[in-house]
């Protein structure tokens, strides 16, 4: 079905906005304005289910603007009020699943979305929830089928095309992922400033994945014009600056991001940038603080476990750290089998000397098609450790061709030279 997953005419004009959308630079964000309107609606009609659902929706959108999960809790409070008035309200139940996804409660979200699907087989928004949960759990064939149904029912809509973009990237078609996300952007109303900023941010990510730094810079700066200090865009622009060798600028952007969204994983990125910028003392302090914060939430559903595994493997690297990393990555893989989780587990297995197990695990990632240069570099190194020079060369070649000027691409090139290729 991969060949059929996306089919629409695509515009080729620039996506970066010349000016912020109306109201984007004002003192309130789109979600804040929606919250104010919805609260007035609840005040004026406290027995209106739709008014409570509208408030819940606005509060949930604020969670994405801020990366603060407390807004999902507030949204759930509004949903509780709506479901007291109408226990079977479909829109309220669907919003509950959206909040579960936001809190990374993916198994519960999938169960909730499947229950909604039984009630309404042709609800496009429910298919979107199914795609999101299925992707996060690594159920890619199911996600592909759900996305195809979105296209069948509402071809070309932003909700469908963003999901197509995610899947195309995972299946190794980065140019196709960019085409789909551009189509979604062109179909989104200019008033939806945060949605459009998010799409531009994801386009920046995709362009970086194929080593096109200038294009990524344009998208990331365009997102920040639409939505000032947008935490997702700050990360991508920092990645651009790092690729340009402007490590101090990257660090400043990631420090801003951590102020806006103070989560352990964001501190980890800032610590990495400090190390690249040559500020060893600042990096050490940030890494230590990151580890402390990340350890506090390892058992939580929403956590920084992937970053913690990476830190133990790449920044600490002693036997104890590698053992801890392997244990944590293994426990995560028991709950979900997405490619990021499996790639992390494979690298931990490799570092622990379990090279055959690492090759079997990374094979599951490669089978999906994901062409992340960093992941394909590691796949090549794992294959080399297993004595498979041909496989190692093939994986390293993919990493190098995908983004030759990236750190992963340059490392792959060096490894290829070591192999005499």
């Amino acid at each position: 079905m991969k060949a059929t997953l996306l089919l629409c005419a695509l515009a080729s004009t620039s996506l970066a906005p010349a000016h912020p959308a109306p109201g984007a630079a004002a003192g309130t964000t789109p979600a804040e304005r929606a919250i104010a309107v919805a609260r007035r609606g609840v005040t004026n009609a406290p027995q209106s289910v739709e008014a409570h659902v509208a408030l819940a929706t606005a509060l949930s959108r604020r969670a994405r603007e801020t990366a603060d999960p407390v807004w999902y809790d507030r949204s759930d409070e509004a949903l509780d009020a709506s479901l007291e008035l109408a226990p079977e309200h479909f829109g309220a139940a669907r919003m509950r699943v959206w909040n579960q996804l936001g809190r990374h409660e993916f198994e519960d979200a999938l169960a909730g979305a499947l229950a909604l699907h039984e009630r309404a087989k042709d609800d496009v928004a429910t298919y979107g929830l199914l795609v999101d949960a299925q992707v996060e759990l690594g159920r890619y064939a199911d996600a592909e089928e759900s996305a195809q149904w979105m296209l069948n029912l509402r071809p070309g809509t932003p909700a469908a095309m963003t999901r197509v973009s995610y899947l195309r990237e995972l299946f190794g078609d980065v140019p196709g992922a960019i085409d789909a996300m551009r189509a979604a952007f062109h179909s989104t109303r200019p008033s939806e400033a945060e949605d459009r900023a998010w799409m531009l941010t994801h386009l920046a990510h995709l362009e970086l994945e194929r080593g096109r730094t200038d294009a990524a810079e344009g998208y990331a700066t365009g997102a920040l014009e639409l939505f000032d200090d947008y935490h997702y865009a700050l990360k991508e622009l920092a990645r651009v600056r790092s690729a340009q060798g402007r490590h101090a600028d990257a660090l400043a952007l990631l420090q801003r991001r951590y102020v806006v969204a103070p989560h352990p994983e964001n501190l980890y990125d800032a610590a990495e940038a400090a190390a690249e910028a040559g500020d060893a003392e600042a990096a050490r302090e940030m890494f230590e603080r990151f580890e402390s914060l990340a350890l506090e939430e390892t058992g939580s559903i929403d956590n920084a476990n992937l970053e913690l595994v990476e830190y133990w493997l790449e920044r600490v690297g002693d036997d104890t750290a590698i053992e801890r990393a392997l244990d944590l990555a293994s426990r995560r893989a028991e709950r979900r089998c997405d490619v990021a989780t499996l790639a992390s587990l494979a690298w931990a297995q490799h570092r622990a000397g379990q090279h055959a197990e690492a090759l079997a695990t990374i094979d599951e990632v490669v089978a999906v098609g994901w062409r992340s240069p960093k992941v394909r570099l590691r796949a090549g190194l794992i294959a080399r450790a297993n004595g498979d020079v041909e496989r190692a060369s093939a994986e390293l070649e993919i990493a190098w061709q995908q983004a030759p000027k990236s750190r992963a691409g340059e490392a792959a090139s060096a490894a290829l030279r070591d192999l005499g290729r």
Side-chain angles (χ1 to χ4, degrees):
M1 190 185 292
K2 291 176 189 174
T4 66
L5 186 61
L6 116 107
L7 321 158
C8 77
L10 302 165
S12 60
T13 56
S14 172
L15 302 187
H19 303 286
T28 58
T29 69
E32 286 177 315
R33 293 191 292 275
I35 290 169
V37 171
R39 281 180 172 153
R40 288 197 295 271
V42 170
T43 299
N44 294 333
Q47 298 303 307
S48 168
V49 177
E50 298 302 333
H52 289 286
V53 173
L55 177 57
T57 302
L59 291 165
S60 185
R61 293 189 65 182
R62 183 64 177 150
R64 193 167 83 164
E65 288 185 348
T66 63
D68 187 345
V70 71
W71 292 100
Y72 290 122
D73 297 335
R74 295 176 184 175
S75 176
D76 275 348
E77 291 172 3
L79 291 175
D80 289 341
S82 65
L83 290 168
E84 284 181 10
L85 294 167
E88 299 300 318
H89 192 274
F90 191 85
R94 191 171 58 196
M95 196 69 231
R96 181 83 79 193
V97 173
W98 177 267
N99 289 349
Q100 289 171 330
L101 287 167
R103 285 192 293 259
H104 295 192
E105 298 167 2
F106 301 124
E107 288 283 3
D108 289 343
L110 179 58
L114 288 170
L116 289 170
H117 180 59
E118 287 300 312
R119 293 173 60 185
K121 295 287 189 180
D122 60 351
D123 184 64
V124 176
T126 297
Y127 275 115
L129 299 177
L130 284 170
V131 174
D132 295 343
Q134 289 159 343
V135 164
E136 294 293 347
L137 293 169
R139 302 180 186 185
Y140 298 120
D142 292 340
E144 186 179 9
E145 182 177 357
S146 298
Q148 188 63 56
W149 272 108
M150 294 184 79
L151 289 173
N152 294 346
L153 292 166
R154 294 280 184 86
T157 61
M161 297 311 293
T162 53
R163 269 84 176 188
V164 168
S165 181
Y166 307 153
L167 288 169
R168 283 183 154 192
E169 179 188 1
L170 289 168
F171 295 154
D173 181 9
V174 175
I178 291 171
D179 288 344
M181 191 59 71
R182 288 174 64 91
F185 181 91
H186 284 297
S187 300
T188 301
R189 292 184 302 237
S191 60
E192 299 292 344
E194 192 270 339
D195 287 346
R196 288 163 66 87
W198 183 88
M199 292 172 190
L200 291 174
T201 299
H202 197 71
L203 282 163
H205 157 76
L206 291 168
E207 291 290 6
L208 279 170
E209 283 296 286
R210 62 177 180 175
R212 298 191 177 184
T213 307
D214 290 346
E217 181 177 17
Y219 287 133
T221 55
L224 288 167
E225 288 178 11
L226 277 175
F227 201 104
D228 189 38
D229 272 353
Y230 191 44
H231 55 101
Y232 296 119
L234 289 171
K235 175 184 178 179
E236 295 307 321
L237 186 56
R239 291 181 65 212
V240 169
R241 295 292 178 249
S242 179
Q244 294 169 335
R246 297 167 56 179
H247 301 301
D249 292 339
L251 174 58
L253 288 164
L254 291 171
Q255 287 173 323
R256 280 173 59 194
R257 176 193 179 210
Y258 185 61
V259 170
V260 173
H263 302 300
E265 58 268 30
N266 296 349
L267 181 58
Y268 176 79
D269 288 341
E272 288 271 278
E276 287 186 351
D279 193 340
E281 182 60 23
R284 183 189 62 79
E285 292 177 359
M286 282 190 275
F287 277 129
E288 288 179 357
R289 177 64 175 158
F290 156 75
E291 184 179 31
S292 175
L293 293 171
L295 283 169
E296 291 177 3
E297 60 179 40
T298 54
S300 303
I301 293 175
D302 189 0
N303 55 58
N305 286 352
L306 285 180
E307 291 78 12
L308 192 54
V309 168
E310 189 75 6
Y311 170 68
W312 282 334
L313 293 176
E314 299 303 304
R315 292 291 174 177
V316 182
D318 59 30
D319 290 345
T320 299
I322 291 172
E323 183 179 351
R324 296 175 79 187
L326 178 58
D327 176 66
L328 187 58
S330 299
R331 285 189 280 120
R332 178 181 168 101
E334 290 173 358
R335 296 191 301 273
R336 51 190 294 193
C337 294
D338 60 293
V339 290
T341 295
L342 294 178
S344 179
L345 174 60
W347 193 241
Q349 290 169 327
H350 169 71
R351 291 297 309 279
Q354 299 177 8
H355 302 307
E357 294 88 342
L359 187 61
T361 303
I362 204 67
D363 279 347
E364 295 185 54
V365 177
V366 171
V368 175
W370 199 26
R371 295 177 69 87
S372 161
K374 180 178 178 180
V375 169
R376 289 306 183 106
L377 165 66
R378 291 181 171 181
L381 298 177
I382 290 169
R384 185 178 68 180
N386 280 274
D388 189 341
V389 175
E390 291 303 318
R391 168 72 185 279
S393 298
E395 296 294 348
L396 294 169
E397 188 73 24
I398 290 172
W400 177 74
Q401 288 183 353
Q402 184 78 358
K405 295 182 180 179
S406 68
R407 279 179 293 173
E410 291 173 352
S413 178
L416 283 166
R417 288 195 298 272
D418 290 342
L419 291 173
R421 301 302 172 104

